[in-house]
Amino acid sequence: MAYSKDLHTVAQGSSHWEEKILPLRQQATIVNRWLRERLENLLPQLMQREGFDMWVVACREYNEDPVFLSLVPEPTMAARRLSILVFCLQPDGTLLRYVIARSGIGGDLYQVKWEEGVDQWLILRQLVEEYNPSKIGIGFSHTFAFGDGLSSALYQQMQEGLGEYSSRLQGAERLAVAWLETRTDNELAAYEGIVAMAHGVIAEAFSNRVVHPGVTTNTDVVWWIRQRFADLGLRSWFQPSISVQRQGGLPSSPGQPRSETIIMPGDILHCDVGFVYLRLCTDTQQNAYVLKRGECEPPKGLQDALKAGNQLQDIVAQDMEAGGTGNEILARSRAKAIAAGLVPSVYNHPIGYHGHGAGPTIGLYDQQDGVPGRGDYELHDGTCHALELNVRFPVPEWDNQEVTMALEQTIAVKDGRFWFLDGRQVKLHLI
């Protein structure tokens, strides 16, 4: 797979990234515009591809199906009592959309089917009788949580309500995953600027503005990032983390428990941060070096460690061909990386409406020989992935002490090409 353009640049983000963050009402307008486009143009294609002529998403308040909120417009924040979405694919390829619920959670994107005092499952049965679908998709899956959103109780009620039609119910895990993983052209275009926001916050956090060596702790930086997101109106989807590696000690690597540590000159700092904006998630890992007195750049061994991490990024990204499964991509990439003399660990995951998103898993940190089930799903075109990995690298200036250079950068895969959204880190941040 080829690069769509040369993006071998330090991922710092635009200096004006903060000005792009819209007020909530304008964000809702964008989200709903995208949703209409997805429902009208994308979902019919995906239902045809996966062989469903009806899809039913049913859930209750506080126990929402993982796909539910991605299917309803802003400002919907939860299901209401029992909420049932029904999608009916017509022979001409158009899609009819219904919501069976008392409250108008579907806005003008859905036709409301509701009769006071009439059981909702009876209304669903009436729709099934009217459209006579041969294959009805429901949220049932042993492999993907994204396709397993129908509770056991609701499944029983649905079967009872549909009677003989319940024999047409089939798990729609692939449809749910396809809906969540596929990015439209508008979403892809916007994603670049969203990732720039993440890079901008990291650049601030890994600077003298935030870090005062000898005073600031890694936990201080964690909460600075979390507060910065909150002040910007960006919702963190996980608690940020900052780890410290130090010559002669603190060999902690990313992913291990992080005790509170005072940051000192000569330290390597690693961050893992993510937020949600316009329903799209970011997940980014970068690294910084705290200069010692008299230094103007990091030791060459640390710079080479980052280059090794970039080399592994190239290997994995170039192997991410549409059609290949996550396990196939993992095996090829690891073999190439080891042949190139690297000590690799690859744990790449899709990203989109969820941080650890729908799509093929390409390794887990503790499963480098493949991931049964989720790793057997194939990579599709028009998707985004958090390219997450690390290399272990000996640093001569540290008496060949091994450091872990962990990186995570969102990439897009489209039309046989890939690119790093808003570039990637090729130089350590300097403090």
Side-chain angles (χ1 to χ4, degrees):
M1 182 173 291
Y3 289 111
S4 63
K5 54 182 176 179
D6 186 7
L7 285 171
H8 287 261
T9 56
V10 182
Q12 297 283 358
S14 166
S15 60
H16 302 295
W17 61 269
E18 188 174 346
E19 299 172 16
K20 296 179 180 179
I21 300 175
L22 299 172
L24 288 177
R25 186 172 183 179
Q26 289 179 258
Q27 290 183 38
T29 299
I30 300 300
V31 165
N32 293 342
R33 186 172 70 205
W34 288 352
L35 178 57
R36 181 179 296 277
E37 176 191 15
R38 290 175 61 87
L39 291 173
E40 292 179 351
N41 301 321
L42 175 62
L43 186 53
Q45 298 174 21
L46 298 178
M47 289 182 67
Q48 287 179 328
R49 187 182 87 185
E50 300 302 334
F52 289 98
D53 43 6
M54 180 176 281
W55 187 27
V56 178
V57 177
C59 55
R60 290 181 287 188
E61 190 171 6
Y62 302 122
N63 192 26
E64 285 81 13
D65 187 299
V67 301
F68 178 78
L69 290 178
S70 71
L71 290 163
V72 292
E74 292 284 355
T76 306
M77 301 178 73
R80 290 294 181 263
R81 301 185 186 179
L82 172 60
S83 300
I84 305 174
L85 304 177
V86 184
F87 303 92
C88 304
L89 184 64
Q90 301 303 289
D92 64 359
T94 59
L95 189 68
L96 301 179
R97 307 182 298 270
Y98 299 96
V99 56
I100 306 174
R102 185 171 190 170
S103 59
I105 59 174
D108 64 351
L109 295 177
Y110 291 85
Q111 180 179 340
V112 177
K113 285 287 187 177
W114 177 263
E115 296 179 51
E116 197 68 40
V118 178
D119 184 81
Q120 288 167 269
W121 300 115
L122 177 58
I123 298 175
L124 175 61
R125 179 179 177 124
Q126 292 170 349
L127 283 174
V128 171
E129 290 175 340
E130 178 181 354
Y131 291 106
N132 194 29
S134 60
K135 189 176 176 182
I136 305 171
I138 57 172
F140 177 81
S141 172
H142 288 288
T143 303
F144 290 99
F146 303 107
D148 194 36
L150 184 63
S151 72
S152 175
L154 291 187
Y155 179 50
Q156 292 175 7
Q157 294 174 27
M158 185 183 295
Q159 286 182 307
E160 294 170 0
L162 291 182
E164 67 273 19
Y165 293 104
S166 63
S167 62
R168 305 183 188 186
L169 299 175
Q170 295 188 31
E173 62 175 6
R174 289 183 59 89
L175 177 57
V177 169
W179 165 257
L180 292 172
E181 74 173 343
T182 307
R183 303 273 69 82
T184 64
D185 289 343
N186 285 334
E187 289 173 321
L188 277 177
Y191 224 153
E192 193 101 30
I194 296 171
V195 174
M197 298 172 192
H199 293 162
V201 171
I202 292 171
E204 291 178 344
F206 281 162
S207 73
N208 292 332
R209 173 185 171 187
V210 175
V211 178
H212 184 171
V215 175
T216 307
T217 70
N218 57 331
T219 305
D220 293 332
V221 183
V222 164
W223 282 103
W224 184 92
I225 293 171
R226 180 74 180 273
Q227 187 65 53
R228 183 70 167 123
F229 285 156
D231 293 343
L232 290 167
L234 303 171
R235 176 176 61 84
S236 297
W237 65 270
F238 66 92
Q239 176 73 340
S241 65
I242 300 289
S243 62
V244 181
Q245 295 182 85
R246 181 176 297 166
Q247 183 178 4
L250 289 178
S252 64
S253 61
Q256 293 182 343
R258 298 161 180 85
S259 58
E260 187 160 16
T261 304
I262 296 175
I263 297 170
M264 296 295 291
D267 286 346
I268 298 176
L269 307 182
H270 167 272
C271 71
D272 190 356
V273 300
F275 64 84
V276 185
Y277 178 70
L278 299 178
R279 292 189 174 178
L280 297 175
C281 294
T282 71
D283 196 0
T284 311
Q285 295 179 35
Q286 292 189 356
N287 299 269
Y289 178 72
V290 185
L291 294 166
K292 295 180 178 180
R293 182 182 297 275
E295 286 185 323
C296 58
E297 64 178 6
K300 183 177 183 298
L302 296 180
Q303 297 181 55
D304 289 341
L306 178 56
K307 290 179 182 178
N310 292 151
Q311 183 181 1
L312 182 57
Q313 286 178 320
D314 288 336
I315 291 171
V316 178
Q318 289 168 1
D319 275 336
M320 291 178 66
E321 298 278 357
T325 69
N327 289 333
E328 290 170 346
I329 295 167
L330 175 67
R332 287 199 305 267
S333 298
R334 279 184 50 80
K336 291 178 183 178
I338 292 170
L342 300 177
V343 183
S345 183
V346 179
Y347 33 100
N348 179 83
H349 61 84
I351 191 167
Y353 289 143
H354 300 86
H356 294 154
T361 297
I362 305 176
L364 293 171
Y365 72 92
D366 57 348
Q367 292 180 250
Q368 290 295 284
D369 293 325
V371 182
R374 288 183 294 157
D376 295 318
Y377 185 81
E378 67 273 18
L379 187 145
H380 284 100
D381 195 60
T383 57
C384 292
H385 305 264
L387 184 60
E388 187 177 8
L389 45 78
N390 74 59
V391 294
R392 299 199 306 274
F393 196 89
V395 179
E397 296 88 343
W398 284 17
D399 298 322
N400 283 326
Q401 176 181 324
E402 200 171 65
V403 301
T404 301
M405 187 59 64
L407 298 167
E408 186 171 18
Q409 175 60 43
T410 301
I411 68 169
V413 177
K414 178 77 171 177
D415 297 332
R417 309 184 76 84
F418 78 88
W419 65 96
F420 297 95
L421 297 183
D422 193 51
R424 62 168 172 177
Q425 183 178 29
V426 296
K427 294 181 180 179
L428 295 169
H429 293 276
L430 298 181
I431 300 171

